[in-house]
Structure formats: structure tokens, C-alpha cells
């Protein structure tokens, strides 16, 4: 049967969403020539786009009152609030975090942007990992340190 010790186990809960966005890899700290060398075709002045797959993982114990680590509807809404800032946008021009701070829109920095947005919404200690698939072959993840 169901034991109380089951409630003490930490579980991971992941939701996956997809977004589409365009960007250009270009650093104001580099010359045009250096940007071309570092970023290659991703430095195209007109930009390029991706269909990103975003995974957000929460980690925690089951609430004995609800039987859940977190309500998936809440996680869906939190992700929509953060990812809506990126979806169908030019990351460099439309997203203040990147535009105003001159942050290069690498997948690494996109992961940090999503993490920081989720951290403001998810209850303390539950956010465990943000993983962004830029392509089928390129994946970046940020995981909470123990």
C-alpha cells in the first residue's frame, strides 16, 4: 500500500513547450570581422530563426494534501508568462533583457533569461532545471546546484 515514506521522496516534474524566435549572434565587444569569425553564418545581418524546445523541471516532495509536487496548470501558466516574452519575437530587438543590456542571444543566455523569469514565479526551491533545445543537436541546460 501507500506509505508515508512515499511523501518524503523527491520527484522531478518536467513540462515541455515549443517556441519560435529569431536572432543574430553579434557581440558589441567584437569587431565585425571578429563577429563573423566567431559566429559564422549565425552572424547574418538579417538574423535567422529557431524552433526551440524548452523543458522546465521542478523538483520537490509530494504535498500530502494534493498528491502533487506542483500543479501542472500552474507550471504551464508560469512557462507561458516567461516564454511569451520570446515566442515569435526577434530576441535581439523585441526582448528588453537582450536589447537594453546588449546581451548576446546565445542559447546559453536564453537559458539564463528563462531561468531568471521562472525563478520569480515558481515557489522557492522547486525550480530544478531549464533545458533549451536550439536544434535537434544543440542543447543547453542550467541545473540548480545542490
Amino acid at each position: 500500500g501507500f506509505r508515508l515514506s512515499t511523501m518524503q521522496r523527491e520527484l522531478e516534474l518536467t513540462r515541455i513547450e515549443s517556441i519560435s524566435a529569431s536572432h543574430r549572434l553579434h557581440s558589441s565587444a567584437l569587431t565585425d570581422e571578429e563577429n563573423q569569425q566567431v559566429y559564422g553564418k549565425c552572424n547574418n545581418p538579417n538574423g535567422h530563426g529557431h524552433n526551440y524546445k524548452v523543458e522546465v523541471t521542478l523538483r520537490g516532495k509530494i504535498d500530502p494534501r494534493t498528491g502533487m509536487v506542483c500543479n501542472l496548470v500552474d507550471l504551464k501558466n508560469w512557462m507561458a508568462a516567461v516564454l511569451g516574452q520570446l515566442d515569435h519575437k526577434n530576441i535581439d530587438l523585441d526582448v528588453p533583457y537582450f536589447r537594453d543590456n546588449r546581451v548576446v542571444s546565445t542559447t546559453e543566455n536564453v537559458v539564463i533569461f528563462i531561468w531568471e523569469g521562472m525563478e520569480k514565479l515558481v515557489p522557492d526551491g522547486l525550480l530544478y532545471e531549464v533545458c533549451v533545445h536550439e536544434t535537434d543537436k544543440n542543447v543547453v541546460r542550467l541545473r540548480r546546484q545542490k
Side-chain angles (χ1 to χ4, degrees):
F2 192 78
R3 297 172 312 206
L4 187 58
S5 64
T6 303
M7 297 297 195
Q8 301 309 311
R9 295 182 182 163
E10 282 212 333
L11 292 109
E12 293 176 9
L13 178 69
T14 302
R15 181 165 176 89
I16 302 168
E17 294 285 354
S18 296
I19 61 169
S20 298
S22 65
H23 71 138
R24 176 189 187 203
L25 294 182
H26 189 86
S27 172
S28 59
L30 301 174
T31 66
D32 287 344
E33 294 77 24
E34 289 171 325
N35 272 292
Q36 182 59 45
Q37 285 178 327
V38 171
Y39 301 120
K41 66 181 182 179
C42 297
N43 183 243
N44 173 3
N46 295 321
H48 64 282
H50 296 283
N51 294 314
Y52 295 93
K53 184 171 81 170
V54 179
E55 302 178 25
V56 173
T57 300
L58 307 182
R59 184 176 183 165
K61 294 180 178 158
I62 296 172
D63 181 332
R65 297 170 303 131
T66 64
M68 298 184 286
V69 172
C70 176
N71 188 321
L72 279 170
V73 173
D74 292 339
L75 179 54
K76 174 184 174 182
N77 292 335
W78 297 328
M79 288 179 73
V82 175
L83 299 180
Q85 297 172 64
L86 300 169
D87 194 26
H88 287 83
K89 300 284 181 8
N90 180 311
I91 295 172
D92 306 308
L93 302 177
D94 299 330
V95 183
Y97 176 92
F98 292 91
R99 180 189 65 226
D100 299 346
N101 300 307
R102 303 184 99 182
V103 174
V104 181
S105 56
T106 60
T107 307
E108 293 89 335
N109 285 327
V110 170
V111 166
I112 290 169
F113 172 81
I114 295 169
W115 179 279
E116 289 178 356
M118 293 298 298
E119 216 173 20
K120 294 173 186 168
L121 301 173
V122 175
D124 281 349
L126 273 185
L127 184 60
Y128 179 66
E129 182 179 90
V130 172
C131 179
V132 174
H133 299 249
E134 180 186 58
T135 67
D136 290 340
K137 297 180 181 181
N138 298 332
V139 180
V140 176
R141 72 182 76 243
L142 176 60
R143 187 173 291 149
R144 177 179 80 214
Q145 299 303 305
K146 303 264 179 205

